[in-house]
Coordinates of all heavy atoms in Angstrom, one line a residue:
Y166 N 5.5 -1.1 28.4 CA 6.9 -0.6 28.3 C 7.2 0.4 29.3 O 8.3 0.5 29.8 CB 6.9 0.0 26.8 CG 8.4 0.4 26.5 CD1 9.2 -0.5 25.9 CD2 8.8 1.7 26.6 CE1 10.6 -0.1 25.6 CE2 10.1 2.2 26.3 CZ 10.9 1.3 25.8 OH 12.2 1.6 25.5
Y167 N 6.3 1.1 29.7 CA 6.3 2.2 30.7 C 6.1 1.9 32.1 O 6.2 2.7 33.0 CB 5.6 3.5 30.4 CG 6.3 4.3 29.2 CD1 5.6 4.4 28.0 CD2 7.6 4.9 29.3 CE1 6.3 5.1 27.0 CE2 8.1 5.5 28.3 CZ 7.4 5.5 27.1 OH 8.1 6.3 26.0
H174 N 10.2 -4.0 30.1 CA 10.7 -4.1 28.8 C 10.6 -5.4 28.2 O 10.4 -5.7 27.1 CB 12.1 -3.5 28.6 CG 12.2 -2.0 28.8 ND1 13.4 -1.3 28.9 CD2 11.2 -1.1 29.0 CE1 13.1 0.0 29.1 NE2 11.9 0.1 29.1
L223 N 9.1 4.0 20.8 CA 9.4 3.8 22.2 C 10.9 3.6 22.5 O 11.5 4.0 23.4 CB 8.6 2.5 22.7 CG 7.1 2.6 22.8 CD1 6.5 1.3 23.1 CD2 6.8 3.6 23.9
I224 N 11.5 2.8 21.6 CA 13.0 2.6 21.7 C 13.8 3.9 21.5 O 14.7 4.1 22.3 CB 13.4 1.5 20.7 CG1 12.8 0.1 21.0 CG2 14.9 1.4 20.7 CD1 12.9 -0.9 20.0
V225 N 13.4 4.6 20.5 CA 14.2 5.9 20.3 C 14.0 6.8 21.4 O 15.0 7.6 21.8 CB 13.8 6.5 18.9 CG1 14.4 7.9 18.8 CG2 14.3 5.7 17.8
A226 N 12.8 6.9 22.0 CA 12.5 7.9 23.0 C 13.1 7.4 24.4 O 13.2 8.2 25.3 CB 11.0 8.1 23.3
E227 N 13.6 6.2 24.5 CA 14.1 5.7 25.7 C 15.5 6.4 26.2 O 16.3 6.6 25.4 CB 14.5 4.2 25.6 CG 15.1 3.5 26.8 CD 14.1 3.5 28.0 OE1 13.0 3.3 27.7 OE2 14.6 3.8 29.1
T228 N 15.4 6.9 27.4 CA 16.6 7.7 27.9 C 17.5 6.8 28.7 O 18.6 7.4 29.0 CB 15.9 8.9 28.8 OG1 15.3 8.3 29.9 CG2 15.0 9.8 27.9
T229 N 17.2 5.7 29.0 CA 18.2 4.9 29.8 C 19.3 4.1 29.1 O 20.3 3.7 29.5 CB 17.4 3.9 30.6 OG1 16.8 3.0 29.8 CG2 16.5 4.6 31.6
F230 N 19.1 4.2 27.7 CA 20.1 3.5 26.9 C 21.4 4.5 26.8 O 21.1 5.6 26.5 CB 19.6 3.1 25.5 CG 18.6 2.0 25.5 CD1 17.4 2.2 24.7 CD2 18.7 0.9 26.3 CE1 16.5 1.2 24.7 CE2 17.8 -0.1 26.3 CZ 16.6 0.1 25.5
S231 N 22.6 3.9 26.9 CA 23.7 4.7 26.6 C 24.5 4.0 25.6 O 25.6 3.5 25.9 CB 24.4 5.0 27.9 OG 24.8 3.7 28.5
V232 N 24.1 4.1 24.4 CA 24.8 3.5 23.3 C 26.1 4.3 22.9 O 27.1 3.8 22.9 CB 23.9 3.2 22.0 CG1 24.8 2.7 20.9 CG2 22.8 2.3 22.4

Side-chain angles (χ1 to χ4, degrees):
Y166 189 83
Y167 282 117
H174 290 172
L223 290 173
I224 292 169
V225 169
E227 180 63 43
T228 59
T229 61
F230 293 135
S231 58
V232 176

